Amino acid sequence: MHRRTAAAALLTAGLLAPLPANAQPTNTTQATAACEMSLGSVNAAGDHTGQGITAGSPPTASTKQIEAAKRFGPGLTRLHSTWVIEPEVPDDLAHYGEVVLGSTLYSAIYRTGAVPSDKVTFSRVGGGWDKFTYFEESTYDEGAAANFAHTHFYGLRNDGTLFRWRDGWKADGSYPGFSAVKTMTLISQTRTYDTFLANTRGGALYTIRIPVSSPMKPIVKQVRTRTWQGFESLVAERCGQYGVLLLGIDKDTKAGYLYAVGHANGTSTVINSLGKVPTTFGDQTYFRWTAVPWANPPLNGE
């Protein structure tokens, strides 16, 4: 019997499909219709895991499953990008993305499927990442017919400076002034900009739109003024035509709360609380599993 990972099962079963075109996540009823998140994590033992989070009232969570056992170094994983699951011929699945182990950033890949193997191949990108508090990769790809794609990497340093790199890890600007940010999550990807949702230590919630043009000049808008300071991790997944499913994780209480967030529009942004997710969030890092960009709609929260 072929091994199918929990995250792969969600993706290949179509559970991450967006809502119908006429259903926007501007209230709880619409959000419960079809929105799912394939959540990944790395635990203290160094296991790579997958778990489905389903929008509902209350939300539900599938049983967490191990994708690759003890391959990321017990206690070493600090930061994690979104990870992709890509089918390969004849019947394998490649799992790949970036991970910070200690102070070093790596690109990593492993395969499961017809001949399952938890071996992870690490390719060193660079050191000095112990000074960073957040990292993400954003790949926007309109497919072969359109012949348009780009990849950006983002890192937030502990002094509040936000950095960007382009395809091939070419430095592409930096911008200071984000020292109050606690964590971030990618919510929108287009030809001309990427947008993040960020919470601050003081409890505010902001969008940070970053145009792809140079020099790098983020556009910041306040969404909420208070109550968001409790989350150490934010994970977002596409939900409907104009919005995201947002998971906020409080590592102090090991609790997660799910929200349906409408199209970002400053303080007018609609945010509906779907409630506490009935599972424990005690792992070191959390991230989103997704499909290959050219076959998967981009995030569209702004």
Side-chain angles (χ1 to χ4, degrees), residues 60-118:
T60 59
S62 67
T63 300
K64 183 186 296 184
Q65 295 187 23
I66 294 176
E67 311 289 320
K70 297 178 175 58
R71 294 298 189 273
F72 288 80
L76 290 180
T77 305
R78 294 190 60 254
L79 302 174
H80 216 292
S81 73
T82 294
W83 266 51
V84 172
I85 298 178
E86 180 176 355
E88 293 185 330
V89 176
D91 192 23
D92 290 327
L93 294 167
H95 307 62
Y96 56 88
E98 287 79 34
V99 60
V100 174
L101 302 179
S103 62
T104 305
L105 175 65
Y106 298 90
S107 292
I109 185 170
Y110 64 90
R111 290 173 171 82
T112 61
V115 184
S117 171
D118 290 339

Side-chain angles (χ1 to χ4, degrees), residues 231-244:
F231 298 131
E232 285 78 27
S233 293
L234 297 173
V235 182
E237 177 57 84
R238 181 185 173 103
C239 184
Q241 290 296 304
Y242 302 102
V244 296

Side-chain angles (χ1 to χ4, degrees), residues 205 207 221-224 263-271 302:
L205 194 66
T207 54
K221 290 184 180 180
Q222 189 173 76
V223 177
R224 294 291 186 270
H263 189 69
N265 184 27
T267 56
S268 298
T269 305
V270 175
I271 302 178
E302 190 201 36

Side-chain angles (χ1 to χ4, degrees), residues 8-26:
L10 271 176
L11 292 167
T12 57
L15 294 180
L16 293 183
L19 293 172
N22 61 348
Q24 298 179 16
T26 55

Side-chain angles (χ1 to χ4, degrees), residues 203-226:
L205 194 66
Y206 291 89
T207 54
I208 303 172
R209 177 192 280 198
I210 307 176
V212 301
S213 57
S214 295
M216 179 177 165
K217 291 184 178 180
I219 301 166
V220 178
K221 290 184 180 180
Q222 189 173 76
V223 177
R224 294 291 186 270
T225 60
R226 57 190 179 88

